[in-house]
Amino acid sequence: MSDNAIAKARAQIDAAGSQRPQIKSFFDHATNTISYVVHDPATRRAAVIDSVLDYDPAAGRTSFASADTIIAHVKAEALTVDWLLETHAHADHLSAAPYLQEKLGGKIAIGEHIVTVQRNFGKLFNAGSDFQRDGSDFDHLWADGDQFRIGEIPVTVLHVPGHTPADNAYVVGDAVFVGDTMFMPDYGTARADFPGGDARQLFRSLRRILELPPQTRLFMCHDYLPEGRDNYVWETTVADERAHNIHAHDGVDEDAFVAMREARDIALSMPRLIMPSIQVNMRAGHMPAPEDNGIRYLKIPVNAV
């Protein structure tokens, strides 16, 4: 079966030439998350990918040090932010997209399958009729194979479900921002046991990404320092992943991957910030509406997950 989206992405990467984005990474130690500012050096138009809002769960307080570092970089480089891109509704950190939008502008965008996540978790959190489960909290929803530009640099969107139903990878020039679909070769791949996750879908999404040209640069959303490595890293290539990914290197078949992934996932604990993160991120980074006392609340369902 032909894969038109992958064909578009391959053609884009092969034709990239000098149209390579400038990429600045920001590592958040509290959540092991890497955010990115990606810009076109010719036009200085930019996108922010997977931003982090600082959150103290014990105090229920948010702060903006991580996002302010991004803002300082954007201003120092005289960039114009057109897009605030989310690879998926993260379960390990809260998005700072609304705060960045207020300070820098840009449209908040995610994959169109966020509506599935909103339906699943809207029900879990008893979000009520004021929470629209149609993706309208976001400014734009992407479909598989959609194309747009950051300045003059082309971008192709790939739908890569499995970790969640709504995961996207963004192919920007010759670089791919893979979200949580995969990690560095020595750490492997994402879990697939969240509501709507599917290990078989995840394997097929991994193989789609690994069909891209071998020199393609891959940028991770997380690094967790596997045993034997003491420095954080988050950039690799398709060739390195195909040769060395401990879960999904060439030669691993789908059934073996699914058996491995499902066995590993059973033993994993839930992410520390999953409850607040999903409630906020399914709303495009916005908090739930204030209640009649003027205070906003994040819920914790008991014995429901």
Side-chain angles (χ1 to χ4, degrees), residues 55-235:
Y55 178 70
D56 178 352
R61 291 191 176 276
T62 60
S63 56
F64 306 102
S66 296
D68 285 341
T69 302
I70 289 175
I71 292 169
H73 171 74
V74 167
K75 291 183 175 180
E77 294 294 319
L79 305 179
T80 299
V81 173
D82 293 325
W83 293 102
L84 302 159
L85 301 174
E86 302 288 350
T87 55
H88 63 294
H90 305 272
D92 41 36
H93 70 270
L94 283 65
S95 171
Y99 177 74
L100 292 174
Q101 186 177 54
E102 177 187 345
K103 302 296 184 180
L104 299 174
K107 294 181 179 180
I108 303 173
I110 200 167
E112 63 181 355
H113 295 276
I114 188 64
V115 298
T116 302
V117 175
Q118 289 177 327
R119 290 168 188 158
N120 288 342
F121 284 98
K123 182 177 181 181
L124 175 65
F125 291 113
N126 197 28
S129 58
D130 61 323
F131 173 51
Q132 300 301 311
R133 295 157 172 84
D134 59 1
S136 59
D137 285 304
F138 296 83
D139 298 313
H140 192 87
L141 302 181
W142 304 112
D144 186 48
D146 277 354
Q147 294 186 297
F148 63 104
R149 289 182 178 270
I150 298 171
E152 297 174 357
I153 296 178
V155 183
T156 301
V157 180
L158 301 178
H159 179 220
V160 286
H163 175 59
T164 79
D167 281 62
N168 275 348
Y170 295 100
V171 185
V172 183
D174 68 331
V176 186
F177 299 86
V178 300
D180 286 11
T181 301
M182 68 175 70
F183 301 125
M184 293 299 291
D186 58 356
Y187 202 85
T189 59
R191 66 194 298 163
D193 61 331
F194 296 150
D198 185 283
R200 201 165 294 277
Q201 277 192 330
L202 178 61
F203 179 83
R204 295 171 186 176
S205 294
L206 291 163
R207 296 316 304 180
R208 286 188 88 201
I209 294 171
L210 297 180
E211 288 176 21
L212 296 172
Q215 75 277 12
T216 304
R217 298 184 291 164
L218 303 179
F219 291 85
M220 311 294 111
C221 187
H222 297 286
D223 188 52
Y224 296 105
L225 278 191
E227 186 175 352
R229 175 157 57 82
D230 58 8
N231 60 309
Y232 291 103
V233 289
W234 45 80
E235 179 181 353

